[in-house]
Amino acid sequence: MMNKNQRIRSNITNYDVLRAVKLEIKASEERITRRIYTAVILSVATIIFVLMLIITSQTPTTRDYAADAMKRSFEMERAIKIIDDAAGTHYLEQSKAKQ
């Protein structure tokens, strides 16, 4: 690109070619930088999306495991209470009194 202050030449010199190449390299670097930034942003967004998808899909499973563990705990406590009452030892009541 020529400025108004530059005189118009009829032939192209090495300086003109060098300047055109430098401008093209600079424009190319800007395009590459934009593409790299876009790729990085899309990669981070994809990773976040996948992690959210995994966490969301695992939440019901975790909830089911927790509910199952609580159910088994209550069943175990009930069974121990039945055995404790049948044996007449009353260990559960004694342990609750100690706490």
Side-chain angles (χ1 to χ4, degrees):
M1 296 186 184
M2 297 202 151
N3 295 335
K4 290 182 180 179
N5 296 339
Q6 295 175 332
R7 62 186 178 105
I8 298 174
R9 299 183 206 133
S10 59
N11 57 353
I12 296 177
T13 63
N14 289 342
Y15 176 76
D16 296 329
V17 172
L18 182 62
R19 188 172 45 168
V21 169
K22 282 183 180 180
L23 289 174
E24 184 61 35
I25 289 173
K26 186 175 179 181
S28 177
E29 287 174 348
E30 289 173 359
R31 284 192 306 270
I32 290 171
T33 304
R34 271 188 272 131
R35 287 181 184 168
I36 289 173
Y37 284 149
T38 303
V40 168
I41 290 169
L42 288 176
S43 298
V44 170
T46 302
I47 290 170
I48 290 171
F49 176 74
V50 168
L51 287 175
M52 287 176 57
L53 185 66
I54 290 171
I55 290 170
T56 304
S57 67
Q58 293 299 317
T59 301
T61 305
T62 306
R63 192 178 309 130
D64 291 345
Y65 285 147
D68 189 43
M70 289 176 65
K71 180 181 172 186
R72 289 177 188 231
S73 172
F74 291 136
E75 289 174 357
M76 184 64 70
E77 186 177 352
R78 188 170 31 153
I80 290 173
K81 184 172 176 23
I82 292 170
I83 294 169
D84 194 31
D85 289 342
T89 56
H90 305 290
Y91 286 127
L92 288 175
E93 292 175 8
Q94 291 173 10
S95 67
K96 287 180 182 177
K98 288 180 184 177
Q99 291 177 355

